[in-house]
Amino acid sequence: MQRYSVIPGHHARELVLLKGGPCAWGRCAFCDYIRDNSTDELLCDRVNASVLARVTGQTGQLEVINSGSVFELTPGTMAALRRVVEQKQIKKLYFECHWSYRHRLQEVRDYFGVPIVFKCGIETFDDDFRNRVLKKGIVYDDLQEVRRYFDSVCLLVGIQGQTKEMLDRDVKILLEHFPLGCINVFCENSTDVRADAQLAQWFCQKYAHLQNDPRIDFLTDNTDFGVG
Ligand code: SF4
């Protein structure tokens, strides 16, 4: 498994895929990458130490993903990560975090002492599709509530059951309300969720310009970040 890469572009950053404890939510219908989770803290720390040793600080920015949320990294890995931030002079961190941890984000800011971009896997702003079909467990009253906690949201596109109208609305909301975002074209995996290849093709053509939008990471394959 590839666990380190460097993402070029406007928000150039190193990226590490760390091994964390079980995703506290763990119920998203399309997700099978929680198989990388482990309750063996020593194993997690050992794997993560070798990954973190590759961080050079070359861009001053580091994104950390862990098939879950930052809160599921072990204490040992968090300490190792903080040492890397100090030693490699990392000026900005990116973490993924499930909605259920939204009230605890300040703990992470305080721990690292550098600006942090928290990314939330909203997947779609269609409440019914997000929660009934994708089983994300993300319920909010209005978009301002989401924006209050998260600078960046991730969209998942090209799933059977999604419509063009739904995806148009998702992109519109992302661009109008959030400074940063990530768009992932769904790739079939071991779950029962099926891709809609035609819809994905339509989306990639219509929104090809977003590949060059500095606000957006546009991933047409789930290994486009160079990890996984
Ligand atoms: S919150 Fe993320 S890691 Fe956890 S089940 Fe959902 S998609 Fe997978």
Side-chain angles (χ1 to χ4, degrees):
M1 184 177 249
Q2 186 63 32
R3 292 184 179 274
Y4 170 86
S5 74
V6 181
I7 304 171
H10 266 83
H11 302 282
R13 56 202 191 268
E14 290 177 271
L15 183 140
V16 288
L17 168 58
L18 300 184
K19 198 173 195 53
C23 167
W25 177 247
R27 278 171 264 176
C28 299
F30 59 89
C31 174
D32 67 358
Y33 38 86
I34 51 175
R35 288 185 186 157
D36 191 43
N37 298 162
S38 174
T39 55
D40 184 338
E41 293 199 9
L42 289 178
L43 171 67
C44 290
D45 291 348
R46 197 167 61 238
V47 169
N48 296 339
S50 66
V51 179
L52 290 171
R54 301 186 61 184
V55 175
T56 65
Q58 60 189 280
T59 64
Q61 301 195 29
L62 176 63
E63 176 158 352
V64 178
I65 58 177
N66 60 295
S67 307
S69 301
V70 57
F71 292 94
E72 287 134 15
L73 293 173
T74 70
T77 292
M78 288 291 277
L81 188 51
R82 185 160 64 180
R83 283 194 297 275
V84 166
V85 169
E86 290 166 359
Q87 291 168 359
K88 303 298 179 183
Q89 300 185 326
I90 302 296
K91 305 284 190 301
K92 186 189 273 189
L93 285 164
Y94 296 70
F95 287 115
E96 288 182 326
C97 194
H98 187 263
W99 178 247
S100 55
Y101 289 114
R102 65 195 179 284
H103 300 299
R104 296 183 54 194
L105 302 182
Q106 191 58 40
E107 292 174 32
V108 184
R109 291 194 178 94
D110 292 344
Y111 187 81
F112 288 102
V114 297
I116 294 177
V117 174
F118 287 105
K119 303 170 67 171
C120 184
I122 284 282
E123 320 303 356
T124 173
F125 293 101
D126 184 289
D127 292 337
D128 180 67
F129 198 80
R130 186 180 63 251
N131 288 322
R132 186 180 55 79
V133 179
L134 300 182
K135 304 194 187 321
K136 283 300 300 190
I138 299 179
V139 177
Y140 51 83
D141 290 330
D142 54 44
L143 288 169
Q144 284 64 40
E145 189 183 358
V146 183
R147 178 65 190 89
R148 194 181 316 143
Y149 298 106
F150 294 98
D151 298 311
S152 177
V153 290
C154 304
L155 300 180
L156 193 56
V157 308
I159 295 174
Q160 284 184 13
Q162 285 182 314
T163 64
K164 292 177 180 176
E165 294 71 27
M166 206 187 278
L167 296 182
D168 282 338
R169 180 171 174 267
D170 284 343
V171 171
K172 188 169 187 289
I173 291 174
L174 167 55
L175 296 177
E176 286 181 358
H177 292 270
F178 295 89
L180 296 170
C182 183
I183 295 173
N184 300 287
V185 177
F186 177 67
C187 299
E188 285 194 355
N189 53 27
S190 64
T191 69
D192 291 335
V193 176
R194 297 274 73 91
D196 182 333
Q198 278 190 329
L199 186 66
Q201 190 179 26
W202 165 83
F203 183 91
C204 289
Q205 284 174 353
K206 176 166 184 176
Y207 292 105
H209 58 283
L210 293 181
Q211 303 259 11
N212 301 315
D213 190 316
R215 297 168 293 177
I216 302 294
D217 291 318
F218 194 140
L219 310 184
T220 54
D221 188 285
N222 53 11
T223 56
D224 276 359
F225 265 163
V227 296

